[in-house]
């Protein structure tokens, strides 16, 4: 039974969606002002693990992710680049989707752009004005926090200390209370704006998510996700806007992901420890290893990114893939072993129990690696049988349904994306590597060369494979190969 820690209630709760079969999820997506960094991807890997786990438990998932393509940062950067907001954000939205593919992140059922939902945002602001929760000032519209007594319920923040006039934001001096936040921002010269019944202007960031979430998921839905930095004020404001308008509970379960740190520090361009996904790929790291590392720490713990950790993640992925190769290629004695079957079943239970416990990925991985160690030992001792293979394959499939790192497709994925890139993306050596079928074909040629005792040609083929990232091993059970 799935259990989650809910930021809203500060408690671990049994998971129960409104509709027992279909789970509705909203995920705060990227602000497309630049390439997403690995901290962002930590939160996106978390929500991917979440949706995969929900499906593994038999739920149908309907997830909406927004793309914030209008806010202060996108406007500032597009202006600096001398590009229209649309062209500028399009480039980074496309890059984000490519990065998602590289990291094997499933596509949410709906990906929606803020600029395509201005009408829904305006309608929500109007509704709030009609109910007295919002007021106009100098062409902008603000949410009146004093009218919403439960403000602060999610973040447990106490705003009573902030008094009118105590600290007035110079940019928003026209608010009647400094705690109030903008729902609609009056047009400014040189900034993109929309002609609407509210007057010319653009939406505030918070209203974007409330309007799009409710449009596609209804006024009350199951799960809302994001990084911890979004708890306040973004999600607090989403709750205020939505619940003030509808009078209903907006979201039942709030799941937040802790931050990624780099070598123990906050990631910042000024510190030189700031990495996008592309920066790591350029250094030759594989997408699967990056995904593995980002997935390996449970979401409520900070993840300290180090290159040492990334190296270990690479080795862990390698161990998993090699184990599966051994499982598939080695000849084991016939029959089955009751002890092995029991051990596999235990590992499967431990794996599920770990994920049920608020997606404890670290323990889920430990369950799999403990099993691998025991099965490798059983294989070495000749105690693993042909008939035990199917159960392990099944467990590995279950594992891969969540962690998605077993496929040997890093180089193919990189090569595929490289051709679509409109920005130069460095691809590591071997990215033009062979598909599995091409490797098999060359190995077939090599087998034939050896059969006719043309060892020079056989060695040549082996070298060619090596140069293209494939290691060939001749074992007593035949030829095995793996990618470097
Ligand atoms: P943004 O593109 O800034 O709107 O952020 C996209 C997502 O990444 C949000 O859910 C943020 O909370 C999350 N995020 C930002 N920085 C980090 C970080 N260092 N670690 C984990 N998640 C982050
Ligand atoms: Zn949001």
């Amino acid at each position: 039974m799935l259990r989650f820690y809910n930021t809203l209630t500060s408690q671990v709760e049994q998971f129960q969606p409104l509709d027992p079969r279909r789970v509705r999820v909203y995920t705060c997506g990227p602000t497309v002002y630049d390439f997403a960094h690995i901290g962002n991807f930590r939160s996106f890997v978390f929500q991917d693990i979440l949706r995969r786990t929900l499906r593994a438990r038999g739920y149908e998932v309907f997830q909406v992710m927004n793309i914030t393509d209008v806010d202060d940062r996108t406007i500032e950067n597009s202006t600096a680049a001398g590009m229209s907001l649309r062209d500028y954000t399009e480039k980074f939205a496309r890059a984000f989707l490519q990065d998602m593919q590289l990291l094997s992140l499933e596509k949410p059922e709906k990906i929606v752009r803020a600029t395509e939902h201005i009408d829904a945002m305006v309608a929500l602001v109007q509704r709030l004005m009609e109910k007295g929760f919002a007021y106009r000032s100098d062409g902008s519209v603000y949410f009146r926090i004093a009218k919403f007594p439960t403000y602060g319920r999610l973040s447990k923040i106490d705003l009573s200390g902030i008094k009118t006039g105590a600290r007035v934001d110079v940019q928003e001096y026209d608010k009647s209370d400094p705690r109030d936040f903008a729902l609609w921002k009056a047009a400014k010269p040189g900034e993109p704006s929309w002609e609407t019944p509210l007057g010319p202007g653009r939406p505030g960031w918070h209203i974007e998510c409330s309007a799009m979430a409710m449009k596609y998921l209804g006024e009350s839905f199951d799960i809302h996700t994001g990084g911890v930095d979004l708890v306040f004020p973004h999600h607090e404001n989403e709750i205020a806007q939505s619940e003030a308008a509808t009078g209903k509970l907006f979201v039942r379960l709030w799941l937040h992901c802790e931050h990624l740190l780099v070598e123990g520090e906050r990631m910042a361009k000024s510190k030189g420890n700031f990495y996008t996904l592309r920066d790591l790929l350029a250094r030759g790291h594989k997408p699967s290893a990056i995904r593995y590392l980002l997935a390996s720490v449970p979401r409520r713990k900070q993840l300290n990114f180090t290159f040492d950790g990334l190296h270990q993640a690479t080795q862990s992925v390698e161990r998993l893939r090699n184990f599966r190769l051994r499982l598939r290629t080695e000849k084991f004695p016939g029959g089955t072993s009751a002890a092995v079957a029991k051990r596999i079943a235990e590992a499967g239970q431990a794996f599920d129990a770990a994920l049920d416990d608020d997606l404890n990925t670290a323990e889920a991985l430990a369950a799999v690696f403990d099993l691998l160690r025991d099965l490798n030992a059983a294989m070495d001792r000749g105690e693993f049988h042909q008939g035990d293979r199917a159960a392990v394959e099944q467990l590995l499939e279950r594992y891969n349904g969540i962690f998605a790192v077993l496929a040997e497709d890093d180089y193919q994925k990189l090569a595929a994306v490289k051709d679509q890139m409109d920005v130069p993306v460095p691809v590591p050596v071997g990215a033009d590597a062979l598909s599995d079928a091409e490797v098999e074909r060359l190995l077939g040629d090599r087998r034939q060369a050896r059969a006719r005792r043309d060892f020079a040609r056989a060695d040549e083929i082996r070298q060619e494979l090596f140069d293209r990232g494939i290691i060939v091993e001749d074992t007593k059970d035949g030829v095995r190969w793996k990618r470097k």
Side-chain angles (χ1 to χ4, degrees):
M1 189 68 168
L2 270 169
R3 293 181 310 281
F4 293 107
Y5 176 86
N6 186 351
T7 313
L8 185 64
T9 59
S10 310
Q11 277 178 5
V12 176
E13 297 168 359
Q14 299 270 7
F15 179 61
Q16 238 163 8
L18 284 159
D19 172 340
R21 284 153 305 143
R22 190 164 180 264
V23 182
R24 286 171 287 161
V25 185
Y26 186 86
T27 292
C28 284
T31 307
V32 283
Y33 67 105
D34 205 339
F35 294 112
H37 58 67
I38 53 171
N40 300 135
F41 280 113
R42 183 202 185 181
S43 74
F44 296 127
V45 168
F46 147 64
Q47 60 77 35
D48 186 64
I49 300 279
L50 168 69
R51 56 171 286 134
R52 287 167 179 270
T53 305
L54 289 169
R55 278 218 320 276
R57 295 293 175 274
Y59 296 111
E60 183 194 329
V61 174
F62 186 76
Q63 183 188 19
V64 177
M65 180 192 278
N66 70 299
I67 290 192
T68 300
D69 58 355
V70 53
D71 79 325
D72 295 344
R73 290 180 292 180
T74 45
I75 292 175
E76 199 177 305
N77 283 13
S78 61
T79 309
M83 287 167 83
S84 73
L85 184 66
R86 179 78 201 183
D87 288 350
Y88 183 83
T89 55
E90 181 61 30
K91 170 175 153 181
F92 292 107
R94 234 186 4 249
F96 177 72
L97 296 179
Q98 289 165 343
D99 287 357
M100 277 188 81
Q101 268 181 33
L102 286 168
L103 287 176
S104 299
L105 297 171
E106 291 183 341
K107 237 177 151 174
E109 284 60 33
K110 262 207 159 329
I111 298 187
V112 292
R113 279 168 164 268
T115 53
E116 290 169 5
H117 295 79
I118 302 290
D119 288 352
M121 297 165 201
V122 169
L124 184 55
V125 175
Q126 284 176 319
R127 209 165 152 190
L128 288 168
M129 288 174 79
E130 278 158 23
K131 289 192 156 191
F133 285 101
Y135 59 94
R136 267 179 203 285
S137 179
D138 237 8
S140 294
V141 181
Y142 296 100
F143 186 89
R144 193 186 300 281
I145 288 201
K147 273 273 290 185
F148 191 74
T150 56
Y151 191 85
R153 205 163 92 237
L154 180 75
S155 58
K156 323 293 181 275
I157 203 156
D158 179 10
L159 289 186
S160 57
I162 303 179
K163 297 215 174 57
T164 307
R167 188 181 61 83
V168 179
D169 184 330
V170 282
Q171 301 226 311
E172 296 183 345
Y173 56 85
D174 40 2
K175 293 191 284 192
S176 61
D177 182 327
R179 303 175 305 171
D180 293 350
F181 59 90
L183 298 167
W184 185 257
K185 298 188 173 191
K188 282 196 201 146
E191 280 194 355
S193 64
W194 283 260
E195 286 299 335
T196 74
L198 297 173
R202 62 177 170 99
W205 170 38
H206 315 301
I207 199 78
E208 296 180 4
C209 285
S210 284
M212 292 187 285
M214 291 201 285
K215 177 176 165 95
Y216 294 104
L217 299 169
E219 293 182 344
S220 288
F221 60 92
D222 301 303
I223 304 180
H224 196 312
T225 77
V228 280
D229 55 308
L230 300 188
V231 175
F232 183 83
H234 186 52
H235 290 162
E236 197 70 63
N237 291 353
E238 275 189 49
I239 292 177
Q241 296 161 154
S242 309
E243 296 189 358
T246 68
K248 296 179 189 156
L249 180 71
F250 177 46
V251 174
R252 291 156 53 106
L253 177 58
W254 287 87
L255 301 180
H256 291 99
C257 170
E258 265 298 338
H259 269 177
L260 172 142
L261 304 177
V262 174
E263 310 278 356
E265 288 193 72
R266 197 172 66 83
M267 187 164 57
K269 286 210 165 107
S270 58
K271 290 186 188 164
N273 67 354
F274 181 93
Y275 303 107
T276 63
L277 176 65
R278 286 143 202 256
D279 293 334
L280 297 184
L281 298 175
R283 290 174 170 227
H285 298 289
K286 290 182 182 175
S288 58
I290 300 167
R291 178 183 166 96
Y292 182 96
L293 178 62
L294 295 179
S296 62
V297 175
R299 58 131 184 154
R300 289 187 61 218
K301 279 204 179 134
Q302 289 189 332
L303 190 161
N304 188 24
F305 175 90
T306 62
F307 280 96
D308 210 30
L310 184 52
H311 181 67
Q312 282 170 29
T314 311
Q315 286 182 328
S316 298
V317 172
E318 200 50 21
R319 266 189 68 200
L320 282 159
R321 291 179 180 179
N322 283 343
F323 174 79
R324 190 164 71 165
L325 195 66
R326 180 174 190 190
L327 186 70
R328 288 181 176 180
T329 51
E330 202 163 305
K331 296 228 164 36
F332 304 108
T336 54
S337 150
V340 168
K342 184 162 166 274
R343 182 67 193 87
I344 297 166
E346 269 168 21
Q349 277 160 15
F351 180 74
D352 285 341
L355 289 174
D356 279 350
D357 178 15
D358 204 1
L359 308 179
N360 191 334
T361 47
E363 287 204 0
L365 289 172
V368 171
F369 278 99
D370 286 350
L371 178 72
L372 254 59
R373 189 198 52 223
D374 291 352
L375 292 186
N376 269 322
M379 288 172 180
D380 294 344
R381 291 194 304 265
E383 291 167 8
F384 186 91
H385 297 75
Q386 285 292 109
D388 301 325
R389 272 192 356 204
V392 191
E393 281 278 3
Q394 251 176 32
L395 182 57
L396 287 178
E397 276 313 304
R398 251 162 76 197
Y399 161 83
N400 205 42
I402 309 289
F403 286 90
V405 293
L406 276 179
E408 296 260 9
D409 59 358
D410 288 288
Y411 295 145
Q412 280 103 314
K413 278 201 291 195
L414 282 166
V417 168
K418 184 182 166 211
D419 299 336
Q420 303 161 25
M421 293 275 178
D422 49 2
V423 284
V425 165
V427 173
V429 186
D432 59 341
L434 304 156
S435 67
D436 287 5
E438 286 169 319
V439 174
E440 294 296 345
R441 189 180 52 74
L442 281 166
L443 286 176
D445 292 352
R446 179 168 173 264
R447 223 172 11 251
Q448 284 175 10
R450 291 174 87 181
R452 59 175 192 271
R453 308 193 70 73
D454 183 353
F455 296 112
R457 176 67 193 138
D459 283 348
E460 217 173 82
I461 294 172
R462 185 199 185 105
Q463 186 62 42
E464 182 187 339
L465 283 163
F466 185 83
D467 292 343
R468 298 182 71 179
I470 308 293
I471 297 170
V472 177
E473 285 172 51
D474 294 304
T475 73
K476 63 177 174 30
D477 301 307
V479 178
R480 267 161 57 180
W481 64 273
K482 63 180 183 185
R483 295 180 192 274
K484 274 194 246 181

